[in-house]
């Protein structure tokens, strides 16, 4: 499937952000710890969400959509091996490791797959689980984890990994005594997971700070109505699209604090921004000024907006330097952007972008989720027609992206 975009487009109007994929996925995994039915509200209709439901299906867990909510019924949960095919479809499927180990004391999964943006090992997840008393063996692409009963421990993460922090919180919920995770990731999605688990009866404190404490509880009961936070990366993508197009756009259902690392950079680049409750209005009076970016764990500039920001800087006045510190190989958008007239080169973990006046349409391929979104943004402002192929990657993380941009007046069509 592909998008065909005719540009340049000046975006105008209002657009609503969906629930956060990266909050919904760990929360779905956390329902494995809960008895009965959990009701999760505001879940985005995305391929990755469907994959997580499919991963849980062989375990006897039933996920049912009800409008924008998912009801997860774990009444008939049982321990089963999760097929390699499912695990390989999405890296976040490894988030079932912690909860299954906590609930059954035994898990066998194949090494997870997902977006190819660096080596992305899960060694920190495993190190933390071992600290809680799990015995883990890795054999021919499979991970087998066992433990009689996990025991609370002090865990210090070498780097603040989002997935490892989430997996360990979930693993520690029933662990004997208290678990402390230090140098934990501080992303808002971790706070959302904590809130979900505490609603279910958990005793977790400190999410959003580098130290998280998890006190033992005996059981959790599926909460009836937890609304996932809005997606700060989707919001950021639309905000950048609006700034690029030079139109006047209101992005709705935003948690302004969560997009502040981006807004700070956009103000520096000369973009007009007005905050009102949960809306952000974006417009431009003049050109975009070159700025330097360094991706960092939250509350630094998010790596998941690096590719989209490269497109904005591609048409800025002057030269910008973008440094990727979170993932080692996250520049797959660059060769594609070059085909659209972007003056950009890579040097190690840094890219140098010299602003040009305009981009030109080309036939490009989405190499992964966020790089794909960046190519759509480039297509929106490029002259003539752009074809973005392989949009299955984009569908993993954006709900009906073309429909949202059509409502802002863009000429973008999905073609199969
Ligand atoms: C999550 C997000 C992803 C985002 C990333 C960083 C989800 C589903 N995905 O991914 O969109 O880009 O956070 O904000 O929430 N690392 C190790 N060993 C480990 C784990 C991670 O070395 O065991 C490294 C990774 O290779 C990477 C860095 O730590 O260089 C950060 O990764 P991590 O925070 O774990 O990212 P994810 O949870 O996979």
């Amino acid at each position: 499937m592909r998008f065909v975009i005719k540009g340049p487009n000046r975006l105008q109007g209002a657009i609503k952000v969906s629930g956060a994929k990266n909050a919904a996925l760990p929360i779905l995994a956390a329902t494995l710890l809960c008895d009965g039915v959990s009701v999760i509200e505001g879940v985005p209709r995305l391929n990755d969400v469907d994959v997580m439901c499919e991963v849980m299906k062989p375990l006897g867990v039933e996920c049912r959509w009800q409008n924008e909510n998912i009801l997860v019924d774990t009444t008939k949960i049982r321990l089963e091996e999760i097929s390699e095919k499912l695990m390989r479809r999405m890296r976040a499927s490894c988030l079932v490791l912690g909860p299954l180990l906590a609930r059954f004391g035994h898990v066998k999964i194949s090494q997870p797959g997902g977006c190819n943006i660096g080596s992305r090992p899960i060694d920190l997840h495993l190190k933390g689980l071992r600290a809680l008393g799990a015995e883990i063996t890795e054999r021919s692409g499979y991970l087998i984890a066992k433990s009689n009963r996990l025991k609370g421990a002090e865990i210090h993460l070498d780097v603040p990994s989002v997935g490892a922090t989430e997996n360990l919180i979930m693993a520690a919920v029933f662990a004997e005594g208290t678990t402390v995770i230090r140098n934990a990731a501080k992303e808002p999605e971790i706070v959302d997971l904590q809130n979900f688990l505490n609603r279910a009866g958990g005793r977790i404190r400190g999410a959003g700070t580098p130290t998280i404490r998890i006190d033992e509880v005996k059981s959790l009961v599926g909460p009836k109505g937890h609304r996932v936070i809005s997606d700060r990366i989707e919001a950021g993508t639309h905000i950048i699209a609006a700034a690029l197009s030079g139109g006047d756009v209101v992005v709705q259902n935003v948690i302004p604090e969560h997009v502040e690392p981006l807004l700070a950079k956009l103000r520096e680049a000369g973009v007009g921004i007005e905050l009102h409750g949960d809306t952000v209005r974006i417009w431009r009076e003049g050109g975009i000024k070159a700025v330097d970016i360094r991706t960092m764990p939250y509350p630094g500039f998010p790596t998941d907006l690096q590719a989209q920001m490269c497109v904005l800087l591609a048409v800025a006045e002057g030269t910008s330097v973008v440094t990727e510190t979170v993932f080692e190989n996250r520049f797959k958008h660059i060769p594609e952007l070059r085909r659209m007239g972007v003056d950009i080169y890579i040097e190690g973990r840094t890219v140098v972008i010299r602003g040009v006046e305009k981009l030109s349409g080309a036939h490009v391929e989405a190499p992964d989720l966020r790089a794909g979104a960046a190519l759509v943004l480039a297509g929106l402002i490029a002259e003539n027609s752009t074809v973005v192929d392989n949009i299955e990657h984009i569908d993993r993380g954006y709900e009906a992206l073309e429909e949202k941009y059509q409502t802002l007046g863009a000429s973008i069509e999905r073609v199969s």
Side-chain angles (χ1 to χ4, degrees):
M1 259 189 304
R2 54 182 64 167
F3 285 143
V4 177
I5 309 165
K6 293 205 175 72
N9 292 275
R10 200 164 173 277
L11 305 180
Q12 208 79 35
I15 187 170
K16 191 170 170 221
V17 175
S18 306
K21 164 179 94 74
N22 288 352
L25 296 177
I27 288 173
L28 279 168
T31 62
L32 296 172
L33 293 161
C34 301
D35 294 331
V37 178
S38 303
V39 182
I40 311 167
E41 297 177 353
V43 181
R45 290 250 179 193
L46 299 172
N47 289 356
D48 274 9
V49 169
D50 291 334
V51 173
M52 188 54 102
C53 290
E54 277 179 52
V55 165
M56 302 202 297
K57 207 172 172 182
L59 304 166
V61 175
E62 197 197 330
C63 291
R64 217 172 41 247
W65 280 98
Q66 210 171 62
N67 304 317
E68 51 156 25
N69 305 337
I70 288 190
L71 280 63
V72 187
D73 188 348
T74 58
T75 324
K76 295 188 188 135
I77 192 168
R78 59 176 186 267
L79 184 61
E80 284 288 341
E81 194 175 296
I82 299 168
S83 83
E84 186 181 343
K85 204 169 124 219
L86 280 175
M87 291 304 294
R88 289 210 183 281
R89 275 180 64 189
M90 181 177 70
R91 181 179 155 81
S93 48
C94 73
L95 290 172
V96 300
L97 196 55
L100 288 180
L101 191 61
R103 188 143 191 177
F104 295 106
H106 190 280
V107 198
K108 183 175 175 193
I109 61 167
S110 79
Q111 298 272 13
C115 256
N116 181 17
I117 53 169
S119 60
R120 303 182 97 185
I122 58 163
D123 56 313
L124 299 175
H125 303 230
L126 304 184
K127 219 157 121 179
L129 293 175
R130 285 190 176 109
L132 292 171
E135 222 179 85
I136 300 173
T137 43
E138 294 173 69
R139 224 180 300 129
S140 46
Y142 271 91
L143 284 176
I144 301 162
K146 286 185 203 159
S147 84
N148 283 334
R149 166 127 193 249
L150 296 174
K151 276 203 174 65
E154 295 251 343
I155 301 168
H156 188 105
L157 294 179
D158 298 339
V159 292
S161 154
V162 175
T165 303
E166 292 166 344
N167 233 336
L168 295 173
I169 291 176
M170 293 188 279
V173 161
F174 302 143
E176 205 180 314
T178 299
T179 299
V180 181
I181 307 173
R182 296 193 200 281
N183 197 26
K186 303 193 290 273
E187 270 66 3
E189 293 76 21
I190 292 167
V191 180
D192 207 22
L193 175 65
Q194 168 180 281
N195 291 343
F196 173 83
L197 286 168
N198 284 349
R199 258 169 200 251
R203 292 200 297 150
I204 306 162
R205 283 166 295 156
T209 79
T211 307
I212 301 176
R213 284 194 160 70
I214 304 117
D215 287 317
E216 167 189 358
V217 293
K218 298 285 178 230
S219 62
L220 296 178
V221 178
K224 305 291 175 284
H226 174 87
R227 177 161 288 271
V228 295
I229 55 172
S230 87
D231 194 314
R232 65 194 165 97
I233 305 301
E234 187 200 334
T237 304
H238 301 331
I239 289 169
I240 296 171
L244 262 170
S245 82
D248 194 331
V249 173
V250 173
V251 184
Q252 301 165 330
N253 190 31
V254 182
I255 303 173
E257 193 191 333
H258 293 177
V259 289
E260 194 48 45
L262 168 69
L263 299 183
K265 273 293 156 191
L266 293 181
R267 285 189 200 100
E268 203 183 316
V271 175
I273 294 164
E274 201 176 80
L275 298 174
H276 241 291
D278 70 349
T279 67
V280 182
R281 182 183 151 223
I282 302 102
W283 75 96
R284 249 175 53 200
E285 258 144 33
I288 299 159
K289 292 188 216 111
V291 291
D292 294 340
I293 308 277
R294 212 180 156 78
T295 66
M296 296 287 265
Y298 188 84
F301 190 92
T303 172
D304 284 352
L305 289 176
Q306 178 255 108
Q308 301 88 315
M309 198 66 181
C310 284
V311 181
L312 186 78
L313 300 177
V315 291
E317 293 153 11
T319 300
S320 308
V321 176
V322 175
T323 308
E324 173 60 61
T325 76
V326 179
F327 290 109
E328 72 214 41
N329 175 21
R330 208 175 188 179
F331 290 138
K332 295 228 168 83
H333 44 294
I334 288 172
E336 302 299 300
L337 286 178
R338 245 195 231 120
R339 295 153 54 91
M340 300 181 72
V342 176
D343 182 353
I344 188 167
Y345 67 90
I346 312 177
E347 221 173 77
R349 285 197 159 198
T350 297
V351 292
V352 179
I353 309 168
R354 280 187 291 251
V356 293
E357 232 162 69
K358 50 188 177 191
L359 305 186
S360 44
H363 192 138
V364 290
E365 267 186 38
D368 62 54
L369 166 56
R370 305 302 171 186
L375 295 174
V376 170
L377 300 196
L380 287 175
I381 59 152
E383 307 269 316
N384 305 317
S385 164
T386 296
V387 176
V388 182
D389 240 317
N390 271 352
I391 60 171
E392 289 77 7
H393 284 297
I394 301 173
D395 289 336
R396 289 188 39 210
Y398 294 90
E399 200 175 28
L401 189 61
E402 78 280 19
E403 286 171 25
K404 290 192 181 182
Y405 288 161
Q406 281 159 5
T407 64
L408 297 180
S411 166
I412 174 169
E413 301 294 335
R414 178 182 290 262
V415 179
S416 38

